[in-house]
Amino acid sequence: MIKYDGNKGELRQALLAVRAGLTSDDVKVAEEALGRRALELPELARARTVAAYVSVGREPGTRALLEALRARGVRVLLPVLLSDNDLDWGLYRGPGHLVRASRGLLEPDGERLGPDAVTGADTVLLPGLAVDGRGMRLGRGGGSYDRVLARLERAGATPARVVLLYDDEVVARVPEEPHDHPVHAVVTPGGVRRFGW
């Protein structure tokens, strides 16, 4: 069990340290299981538009899932990090249309659709480091997805919000702040957990 002193910074450090210890094989096996489980979600089976992201480093893998969604004919939006840490969006057109960006991220190389494009998504896949039993998500601390969730709320958009994590990243409690929004579900290699709020 991951130990921390109750603040977000300490929990982030502990979770990132565990991820740093994962091997490439660990990440690959988890990605395959995550992809299978995520594709079974009704929220993705019914979706016409999904806002997702390209995993990098030791993040739970999304690349196989992105390809499977595209093969189903789903319109997949990927984030483009702006200089103020807000997110613009572009269409995923396959792995050959991803370019290296700041912070080691991969972004779509095509037209930019604007920050409000996410409000048209049926499902939003959120990156994270942990989620707790209430569905509260811990991100990396940059605030980009806090802005996305606030934008959805302002627009009255209610897409399903789903986090992809490793099994041990579902924790007892995530420190919460007033701007934090809960998610509907978390998918891990070991299963799916839904939150009834």
Side-chain angles (χ1 to χ4, degrees):
M1 185 70 164
I2 293 168
K3 303 284 185 195
Y4 72 103
D5 72 359
N7 73 56
K8 286 186 175 184
E10 180 97 3
L11 181 54
R12 282 188 184 104
Q13 286 179 348
L15 291 160
L16 288 169
V18 172
R19 279 190 183 179
L22 296 173
T23 67
S24 296
D25 285 342
D26 294 334
V27 175
K28 183 177 181 186
V29 168
E31 178 175 355
E32 291 168 4
L34 275 170
R36 281 193 308 274
R37 293 209 184 274
L39 287 170
E40 294 169 359
L41 287 175
E43 293 89 344
L44 288 178
R46 295 187 302 256
R48 294 181 313 272
T49 300
V50 173
Y53 61 96
V54 183
S55 57
V56 294
R58 297 289 187 248
E59 282 187 305
T62 62
R63 295 177 195 213
L65 177 58
L66 295 176
E67 273 301 288
L69 289 170
R70 190 170 76 98
R72 282 184 177 178
V74 175
R75 182 174 182 250
V76 178
L77 305 178
L78 294 179
V80 176
L81 186 65
L82 300 173
S83 60
D84 65 356
N85 273 357
D86 204 351
L87 297 178
D88 199 336
W89 299 87
L91 284 178
Y92 176 60
R93 298 181 299 138
H97 293 278
L98 297 173
V99 295
R100 286 263 169 224
S102 65
R103 300 184 193 172
L105 300 175
L106 289 170
E107 298 176 345
D109 64 0
E111 172 190 2
R112 300 296 178 248
L113 305 174
D116 288 335
V118 70
T119 64
D122 302 302
T123 299
V124 177
L125 298 179
L126 300 159
L129 291 174
V131 71
D132 69 18
R134 304 166 300 151
M136 298 309 297
R137 170 189 152 272
L138 178 70
R140 285 190 170 249
S144 298
Y145 279 89
D146 292 329
R147 292 180 191 198
V148 168
L149 294 172
R151 182 170 284 119
L152 293 170
E153 186 174 55
R154 282 193 309 272
T158 57
R161 298 186 299 269
V162 179
V163 181
L164 305 176
L165 296 174
Y166 295 109
D167 291 317
D168 61 355
E169 294 174 342
V170 179
V171 300
R173 189 88 173 174
V174 167
E176 180 184 346
E177 295 178 44
H179 64 266
D180 290 332
H181 293 78
V183 299
H184 295 100
V186 60
V187 181
T188 70
V192 174
R193 184 165 177 185
R194 296 182 178 281
F195 306 102
W197 41 264

